């Protein structure tokens, strides 16, 4: 699979710069994510079971929505050549099949000496934050390229 990938060097980044990836979650996404990850929790696959939970119905894997943040970091900002070092996240609300998730990463801090950038991260469905957190990424330098 070949994708269009942006690439930014650390010298190109500024505080407040951001990028967003948007995707509508489908039944196929749930099935494929479960198959790839091995997470076959009935909360994601069995409506009768899921109705008995606090969610009152099936929800998408939290890690599926979280992966959209990786999409932003690896393909848009900073993009090609970046290395995802760490993340801290809070799952705040469920995502359901048919929801459109917008994953946004915003530059919060730049450490040019170490080649590291800290991003504020958020996934939203409409105006509701479903995931909030931060990520640290190693970003290539033009000087070292």
């Amino acid at each position: 699979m070949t994708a269009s990938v942006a690439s930014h060097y650390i010298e190109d980044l500024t505080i407040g710069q951001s990028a967003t990836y948007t995707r509508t979650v489908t039944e196929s996404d749930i099935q494929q994510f479960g198959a790839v990850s091995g997470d076959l929790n009935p909360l994601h696959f069995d409506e009768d079971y899921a109705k008995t939970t606090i969610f009152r119905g099936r929800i998408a894997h939290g890690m599926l929505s979280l992966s959209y943040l990786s999409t932003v970091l690896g393909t848009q900002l900073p993009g090609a050549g970046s290395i995802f070092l760490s993340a801290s996240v809070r799952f705040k609300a469920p995502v359901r099949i048919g929801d459109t998730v917008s994953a946004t990463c915003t530059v919060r801090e730049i450490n040019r000496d170490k080649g590291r950038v800290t991003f504020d991260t958020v996934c939203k469905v409409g105006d509701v934050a479903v995931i909030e957190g931060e990520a640290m990424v190693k970003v290539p330098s033009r000087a070292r390229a």
Side-chain angles (χ1 to χ4, degrees), residues 83-120:
I83 301 168
F84 202 141
L85 297 175
S86 66
S88 173
V89 298
R90 293 170 303 286
F91 295 95
K92 301 185 64 78
V95 173
R96 299 182 189 281
I97 296 167
D99 284 350
T100 299
V101 178
S102 294
T104 302
C105 297
T106 304
V107 177
R108 183 176 78 210
E109 182 179 329
I110 302 169
N111 184 327
R112 296 189 199 285
D113 293 334
K114 291 187 176 183
R116 295 181 178 181
V117 177
T118 302
F119 291 85
D120 287 320

Side-chain angles (χ1 to χ4, degrees), residues 1 6 10-12 15 20 39 47 54 58 62 69 71 88 93 97 102-103 109-110 113-114 125 131 137 140 142 144:
M1 174 182 265
I10 197 165
E11 293 86 357
D12 303 328
I15 304 295
T20 300
D39 181 352
E47 184 65 30
I54 62 170
R58 290 174 60 202
L69 294 168
T71 299
S88 173
I97 296 167
S102 294
E109 182 179 329
I110 302 169
D113 293 334
K114 291 187 176 183
V125 173
I131 298 174
V137 178
R142 187 176 280 108
R144 293 181 221 127

Side-chain angles (χ1 to χ4, degrees), residues 33-41:
F33 193 85
V36 168
S37 68
D39 181 352
L40 303 177
N41 184 328

Side-chain angles (χ1 to χ4, degrees), residues 12-31:
D12 303 328
L13 301 179
T14 58
I15 304 295
Q17 188 175 0
S18 68
T20 300
Y21 173 76
T22 301
R23 182 175 174 101
T24 300
V25 177
T26 66
E27 175 68 31
S28 178
D29 293 334
I30 303 293
Q31 296 295 327

